[in-house]
């Protein structure tokens, strides 16, 4: 078995991904692993100048990226506590593809993600990120489900 030295966790800032993140952080602490926290900005192809013609695509993209960077910073400062062995990545694309590419690039030994994410349009368009990552990842994947109330 490859030791869990590099853990990659995918966050979409949903309740389920927050919950999965707790597992990733606990495992990173226990295995003394480096933690990579990735957020993927869904490529907003359908928005290009159509719904919001007064905003250029470049401007929209810039604002989305800036907002994602802020969300990641807030996330890290509220969730990581004393843990410092981490890095963050914000990329644009299709979440499952980017998560797998980042895991390969970082030579991740484990991927941690939620079984569910934000509901709505993204899921209808792209299907289940968790399922696609489980099917295609080159390393073990831990999927974490929110406990039922
Ligand atoms: P989903 O398949 O969309 O229901 O999401 C399942 C899990 O995949 C979430 O709990 C996250 O851990 C991860 N995920 C989904 N979308 C993204 C995203 N845009 N960026 C990073 N992780 C994501």
């Amino acid at each position: 078995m490859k030791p869990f030295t590099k853990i990659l966790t995918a966050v979409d800032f949903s309740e389920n991904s927050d919950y999965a993140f707790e597992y990733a952080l606990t495992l990173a602490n226990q295995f003394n692993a480096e933690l990579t926290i990735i957020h993927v900005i869904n490529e907003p192809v359908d928005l290009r100048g159509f719904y919001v013609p007064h905003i250029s695509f470049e401007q929209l993209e810039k604002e989305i990226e800036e907002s994602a960077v802020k969300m990641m910073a807030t996330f890290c400062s509220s969730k990581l506590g004393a843990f410092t062995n981490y890095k963050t990545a914000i990329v644009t694309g299709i979440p499952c593809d980017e998560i797998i590419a980042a895991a390969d690039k970082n030579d991740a030994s484990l991927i941690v993600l939620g079984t569910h994410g934000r509901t709505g349009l993204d899921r209808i368009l792209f299907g289940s990120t968790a399922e696609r990552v489980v099917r295609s990842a080159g390393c073990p994947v831990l999927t974490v489900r929110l406990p039922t109330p």
Side-chain angles (χ1 to χ4, degrees):
M1 177 189 132
K2 218 173 155 185
F4 293 150
T5 51
K6 290 185 175 189
I7 297 175
L8 181 129
T9 186
V11 300
D12 63 359
F13 307 118
S14 65
E15 191 186 2
N16 196 159
S17 118
D18 282 5
Y19 188 67
F21 177 80
E22 289 175 28
Y23 281 77
L25 181 59
T26 300
L27 290 170
N29 267 309
Q30 283 181 359
F31 288 100
N32 203 20
E34 179 189 76
L35 186 61
T36 300
I37 307 162
I38 184 170
H39 175 68
V40 184
I41 298 168
N42 273 313
E43 183 78 56
V45 278
D46 292 309
L47 299 178
R48 285 181 203 200
F50 181 67
Y51 298 111
V52 277
H54 55 286
I55 300 176
S56 70
F57 180 65
E58 288 71 26
Q59 182 61 25
L60 181 63
E61 215 174 23
K62 189 169 162 271
E63 287 186 22
I64 290 171
E65 271 170 29
E66 284 170 2
S67 168
V69 167
K70 279 187 197 150
M71 286 172 87
M72 180 64 91
T74 305
F75 181 88
C76 290
S77 64
S78 69
K79 306 267 180 204
L80 280 159
F83 189 85
T84 54
N85 188 16
Y86 75 95
K87 58 187 179 185
T88 60
I90 295 177
V91 293
T92 299
I94 297 171
C96 57
D97 293 345
E98 297 303 327
I99 291 164
I100 289 166
D104 289 347
K105 188 176 145 203
N106 288 283
D107 196 24
S109 33
L110 177 70
I111 299 172
V112 180
L113 75 177
T115 52
H116 295 82
R118 288 174 293 164
T119 51
L121 201 57
D122 290 351
R123 275 180 69 74
I124 294 162
L125 285 177
F126 298 121
S128 162
T129 304
E131 185 188 331
R132 287 167 157 212
V133 171
V134 167
R135 281 181 194 273
S136 309
C139 66
V141 179
L142 173 66
T143 60
V144 184
R145 182 182 296 272
L146 266 178
T148 43

